[in-house]
Amino acid sequence: MLLLAFLLVAQAAQDGPEKLYGDWVVACDNLHGCEMTSLQPGDQPVPEDDSAWDAGMSLSRDAGPAGGFTVEVWAPRKLSGKAVLKIDDAVIATGAADAENVTFKGADAAKIAAAMPNGKQLALLDGSGVAARISLAGSSASLRHIDANQGRAGTVTAAVAKGTRPAGTVPAAAAPEKIAAIRPSGTAASVPKAMRAALEKQSDCDGLYDGAETVPDVETHALGGGKTLALIPCGAGAYNFSTVAFVLAGGKAVRARFDDGNDGMLVNASFDKGELATYDKGRGIGDCGEAQTYVWDGTRFRLTEARAMSECRGSTNWLTTFRATAVFR
């Protein structure tokens, strides 16, 4: 049932910032920064003895007239020696490997982007042979999607939808919103047994641990200004642990407010250095799901980053769909 629910969410995500094209997913955030990432091939056989298909690749492009490309390829094994990137039979770029990945920027990344639309397969080779294979099915449509989102279609800066209009006609990159955040301070309040029971009942979480040998502790964190974040346990699956967020002040607790419509039910939540993070996995291997990061502004939690991957096809590179900058005080 959980997998079915996630698949329905994944289908709905096609109307959101993420788009699926063949063996690629692309997303552009609220500032028109865009990234596309490869998936396991969906319509071609993958040889069982060829682990190179377990690789991944990302291509991102900054917004604005001068926005450049960054390409990163991850191999399923440690790379050795010089890395050579080929599209079909043509060598496009070479680079220095860093453990299991290699990154291309500037002119090399632009060459890769230019060659991808007409290619069928990308390969990364090192001193031991082929380290990574990437299907390029859908990469052209993904690049075209980026062209459209960033206002490049019909300009000389477009990757696919090329035209004659000058680079100066591409919209300038926008600056991220600055969110005034409270720096955590003070000592976190405790949650008495009676209060916990009341909050569990209010959240429909009561009874979940009846008969259990151990019951998860309530996690509390000082927010500053005499307020405390309390994460009330509310069930767990094989790889997701749910909690409900409350804010304590003056011996009273209210359900935490979020500016993105989150109702306070969080998955795999953590709080560190003023950031409340969630990480909801669609599968145990973490190749699909969604994640958010928030900061506390004194009255509610404000979203500073959202990432998602709706396709459960081998990519642990979740794409950024929202960005803002926290300014702590």
Side-chain angles (χ1 to χ4, degrees):
M1 290 298 292
L2 288 175
L3 180 57
L4 175 60
F6 189 81
L7 291 175
L8 292 175
V9 172
Q11 182 63 37
Q14 288 305 301
D15 296 325
E18 291 177 90
K19 300 296 179 184
L20 170 66
Y21 298 105
D23 295 332
W24 289 77
V25 171
V26 60
C28 297
D29 61 29
N30 55 311
L31 304 177
H32 299 285
C34 299
E35 183 179 9
M36 50 190 279
T37 195
S38 65
L39 304 172
Q40 288 290 321
D43 60 355
Q44 56 182 295
V46 177
E48 293 183 3
D49 61 347
D50 193 348
S51 62
W53 282 108
D54 291 333
M57 175 178 170
S58 164
L59 180 148
S60 60
R61 191 172 195 184
D62 297 330
F69 294 98
T70 298
V71 172
E72 187 170 6
V73 183
W74 300 275
R77 61 170 173 80
K78 187 173 182 179
L79 300 170
S80 62
K82 182 176 69 173
V84 178
L85 187 146
K86 286 185 175 183
I87 291 182
D88 296 334
D89 294 324
V91 175
I92 307 298
T94 59
D98 180 14
E100 290 85 16
N101 69 296
V102 59
T103 301
F104 301 91
K105 296 184 177 182
D108 282 340
K111 290 178 183 177
I112 296 168
M116 288 172 65
N118 296 318
K120 293 183 178 181
Q121 183 186 126
L122 180 147
L124 186 72
L125 298 85
D126 67 352
S128 299
V130 177
R133 296 187 191 277
I134 304 293
S135 167
L136 295 178
S139 63
S140 179
S142 298
L143 286 165
R144 188 180 291 274
H145 179 97
I146 294 174
D147 286 342
N149 185 277
Q150 296 184 336
R152 301 183 185 281
T155 75
V156 296
T157 73
V160 178
K162 291 186 176 295
T164 58
R165 289 191 290 118
T169 62
V170 175
E177 176 187 3
K178 292 184 178 180
I179 296 176
I182 303 296
R183 192 178 302 279
S185 62
T187 302
S190 60
V191 177
K193 185 176 181 180
M195 177 184 284
R196 173 173 181 168
L199 297 181
E200 287 178 343
K201 184 175 182 180
Q202 179 182 332
S203 307
D204 295 325
C205 302
D206 55 325
L208 290 177
Y209 301 102
D210 288 349
E213 293 183 4
T214 59
V215 177
D217 293 330
V218 175
E219 191 175 322
T220 59
H221 302 275
L223 292 173
K227 296 183 178 180
T228 295
L229 168 66
L231 299 175
I232 307 297
C234 194
Y239 39 81
N240 287 324
F241 176 68
S242 297
T243 54
V244 183
F246 285 86
V247 175
L248 280 57
K252 298 182 179 180
V254 296
R255 192 134 172 173
R257 295 171 54 216
F258 292 78
D259 68 348
D260 65 341
N262 190 316
D263 65 356
M265 179 68 77
L266 309 177
V267 181
N268 301 324
S270 62
F271 188 83
D272 183 46
K273 298 179 180 178
E275 292 186 331
L276 174 61
T278 70
Y279 184 76
D280 188 354
K281 296 196 292 185
R283 295 203 303 181
I285 61 174
D287 65 343
C288 51
E290 60 180 11
Q292 297 84 27
T293 302
Y294 304 91
V295 293
W296 175 248
D297 72 355
T299 59
R300 59 180 176 167
F301 285 98
R302 304 285 304 279
L303 183 69
T304 56
E305 183 183 70
R307 295 179 295 113
M309 173 52 63
S310 58
E311 296 294 321
C312 301
R313 287 174 54 188
S315 177
T316 56
N317 178 37
W318 297 6
L319 302 178
T320 301
T321 59
F322 181 87
R323 288 182 292 143
T325 299
V327 180
F328 286 94
R329 54 186 173 86

